[in-house]
Amino acid sequence: MSDATAAADLLFRPVTELAARVRSGEITARELVQASLDRIDEVNPKVNAFVDVFGEEALAEADGIGPDDPRPFAGVPIAIKNNRAVAGKRLTFAAEFAGDLTPPHDHNVARRLRDAGFVIVGTSTLPEWGILPVTDTTRFGTTNNPWDLSRTPGGSSGGSGAAVAAGMVPIAHGNDGGGSTRIPAACCGLVGLKPQRGRISLAPDVGYNYLVQDGVLSRTVAETAELLDLLAGYELGDAAWAAPPNEAFAVQAQRTPGRARIALTTLSPVPDAEVDPVCAKAARDAAELLASLGHEIVEVDPPWQEATLIDTFTAVFGPMVASQCTFIEMINGRPATADDMEPLSWALFEVARAITAPQADFSTTMCQAFGRQLITWMADYDFVITPALAEAPLQHGVVDPRSSDPLADFARSSRFTPFLAGMNITGSPAISLPLYHRDDLDLPVGVQIIGQPEGEGELLALSAQLEAALPWAERRAQV
């Protein structure tokens, strides 16, 4: 194995292993960060996963990390999605209108990652304002799936998913307001957990968000559990938060789960979404595997096919996106115009601005009612298994943020990811696992598992049991 190949191989190893190698003196933090930067130089021109790369600063930071550094992940490189503040670096939301806004502070997730010793080597791409499940922007171009460069890595955390799948970083930050961590996990062959609502603070910028939770894209369940322990927890001023676990998530993830009652469904919550037989088969195969491990499987049709649900979700999601645009309007000192945004962003912005305050509040109330109904139904089961996506990762252009009928493309995107947004409404934890690989295409196939409220520990334990039975971490995209 050449030195370059050995260095690149490092970035596919678990973050705990990499940190242990730095602590032992087997490698230096500089060597590890340099391997990441070299891999970015080699692969990113093909993948386009980064908004900015902080090469010299990352190396300087690595030079200050020695084997005696007590931080648990000292020297390990990571990427932050470019919708969270990194102090002194531009925060663009992949939108021209945001300009080169440079916040002076770290977002909570960036601060906690730094405090744990991670070295932020760059910020990753996303669709404009984080709207779509594909990562294709006017400002930064198209991000490609490392498994097939003609296809999307998903969105909105598409750059983070592509960066990890291509071995540019061993782990990356993402967030999920309608599937945006689970989608790139499914597209790129990674683990993507949406934690319980309120689990990870949005400080200092926001006190609470009904739909969005931060997290990571990783190769293994264990890494996701360890990072959840790191990122979870109340910050001063939070308006709402999840109760802390009785035991570390990493410890819970290592426990063999007891016999569970698990619902299986391939019924799309979006009535006009056709589910690819390969995606449906993956969910069924996962259920069969769990049955062989001693769990009870019950095939069901959940009560989630409500004709107005997408419109109601949009009436909540749209104003959430519009608030970002309004913030930039305040910074820029002028109102946005259609020339400032991609057609889809502008169309959604106009939809949001046309919603009255009572309508927005009522839509939130309707979403909460739907969430309560769904959680009540789910109480009969320990977990629910679904396909992660209804289709293979889309070819570029199938969903186009610059089309002449942008809201039709927005509706089209929901048929790609129909199983995911419901869990942002309920707030329950849900995870996408890369259990399978397509025979017809060289692409991963993800399966979603939904847990009970505040049940990340049990969900991670079941996920780890599946990973042990059907390991996936050694699969690599040949970029």
Side-chain angles (χ1 to χ4, degrees):
M1 182 183 293
S2 70
D3 290 344
T5 301
D9 184 66
L10 281 174
L11 282 308
F12 290 93
R13 307 312 305 161
V15 292
T16 45
E17 176 186 324
L18 295 176
R21 290 190 185 192
V22 172
R23 281 195 299 273
S24 71
E26 179 183 344
I27 57 173
T28 67
R30 184 184 181 91
E31 288 170 337
L32 185 52
V33 170
Q34 187 65 64
S36 175
L37 295 172
D38 289 345
R39 182 67 173 173
I40 292 170
D41 284 344
E42 175 191 359
V43 175
N44 196 55
K46 304 173 187 176
V47 176
N48 189 33
F50 282 87
V51 170
D52 289 313
V53 177
F54 314 138
E56 292 304 316
E57 292 165 79
L59 288 171
E61 185 178 342
D63 284 339
I65 297 172
D68 58 346
D69 195 307
R71 295 174 297 172
F73 297 102
V76 178
I78 195 168
I80 304 290
K81 184 178 177 181
N82 198 247
N83 66 350
R84 294 291 183 249
V86 176
K89 304 302 180 185
R90 62 177 179 164
L91 177 64
T92 71
F93 304 94
E96 293 283 5
F97 189 54
D100 291 328
L101 173 68
T102 306
H105 67 279
D106 278 335
H107 186 276
N108 172 57
V109 293
R111 175 181 59 79
R112 287 183 181 234
L113 291 167
R114 285 191 202 272
D115 288 349
F118 281 103
V119 178
I120 300 172
V121 297
T123 56
S124 60
T125 56
L126 65 155
E128 188 172 80
W129 305 114
I131 294 172
L132 284 174
V134 300
T135 302
D136 174 9
T137 68
T138 300
R139 183 166 189 180
F140 297 118
T142 302
T143 300
N144 301 318
N145 191 321
W147 291 95
D148 181 343
L149 300 178
S150 72
R151 294 178 183 268
T152 185
S156 63
S157 308
S160 288
V164 177
M168 291 186 267
V169 286
I171 199 165
H173 159 260
N175 38 48
D176 190 319
S180 291
T181 299
R182 289 163 289 160
I183 296 163
C187 288
C188 296
L190 303 171
V191 177
L193 171 71
K194 183 199 77 67
Q196 171 67 32
R197 178 185 293 133
R199 179 67 68 197
I200 296 171
S201 173
L202 299 172
D205 309 317
V206 180
Y208 172 77
N209 189 290
Y210 179 60
L211 296 176
V212 177
Q213 265 296 283
D214 285 76
V216 295
L217 288 135
S218 73
R219 293 188 176 280
T220 68
V221 173
E223 291 169 287
T224 290
E226 288 152 2
L227 267 290
L228 184 58
D229 284 321
L230 175 64
L231 296 175
Y234 170 79
E235 292 284 318
L236 286 173
D238 285 348
W241 57 93
N246 295 324
E247 191 175 27
F249 292 116
V251 173
Q252 295 184 61
Q254 295 174 11
R255 186 170 293 121
T256 301
R259 186 172 190 266
R261 188 167 190 254
I262 302 173
L264 162 68
T265 186
T266 59
L267 176 70
S268 167
V270 177
D272 61 346
E274 295 184 11
V275 181
D276 181 341
V278 175
C279 298
K281 183 178 185 298
R284 294 183 184 281
D285 287 351
E288 289 182 10
L289 176 56
L290 286 167
S292 74
L293 294 170
H295 300 288
E296 177 189 1
I297 305 298
V298 182
E299 188 159 2
V300 296
D301 285 340
W304 59 21
Q305 274 202 339
E306 293 196 9
T308 61
L309 182 59
I310 291 299
D311 291 337
T312 304
F313 176 81
T314 302
V316 178
F317 179 77
M320 182 187 74
V321 172
S323 68
Q324 298 175 125
C325 308
T326 303
F327 171 69
I328 301 300
E329 285 183 323
M330 181 183 70
I331 296 293
N332 290 345
R334 68 173 180 86
T337 70
D339 292 336
D340 292 316
M341 299 186 200
E342 294 172 350
L344 174 58
S345 300
W346 181 251
L348 197 62
F349 190 39
E350 290 210 297
V351 167
R353 292 196 297 185
I355 298 171
T356 66
Q359 287 171 332
D361 188 63
F362 181 70
S363 294
T364 300
T365 300
M366 292 298 291
C367 277
Q368 291 170 348
F370 171 80
R372 189 182 296 276
Q373 171 191 337
L374 191 55
I375 286 176
T376 300
W377 171 81
M378 286 176 55
D380 287 338
Y381 309 97
D382 298 299
F383 306 96
V384 179
I385 297 178
T386 78
L389 302 172
E391 304 174 68
L394 297 180
Q395 291 276 350
H396 293 314
V398 172
V399 172
D400 181 4
R402 295 171 291 276
S403 77
S404 58
D405 190 358
L407 290 180
D409 281 77
F410 186 63
R412 172 65 181 86
S413 71
S414 71
R415 298 197 295 274
F416 172 42
T417 63
F419 294 97
L420 304 182
M423 297 311 106
N424 298 87
I425 294 173
T426 67
S428 303
I431 195 167
S432 178
L433 301 174
L435 283 168
Y436 301 104
H437 207 80
R438 298 182 73 105
D439 293 329
D440 54 339
L441 302 166
D442 183 21
L443 291 166
V445 185
V447 173
Q448 177 178 235
I449 305 179
I450 303 164
Q452 287 294 320
E454 298 193 340
E456 293 102 318
E458 294 86 352
L459 179 60
L460 289 163
L462 189 76
S463 299
Q465 186 181 39
L466 283 167
E467 182 179 18
L470 200 63
W472 57 69
E474 297 305 317
R475 299 182 198 144
R476 297 187 187 179
Q478 300 301 314
V479 183

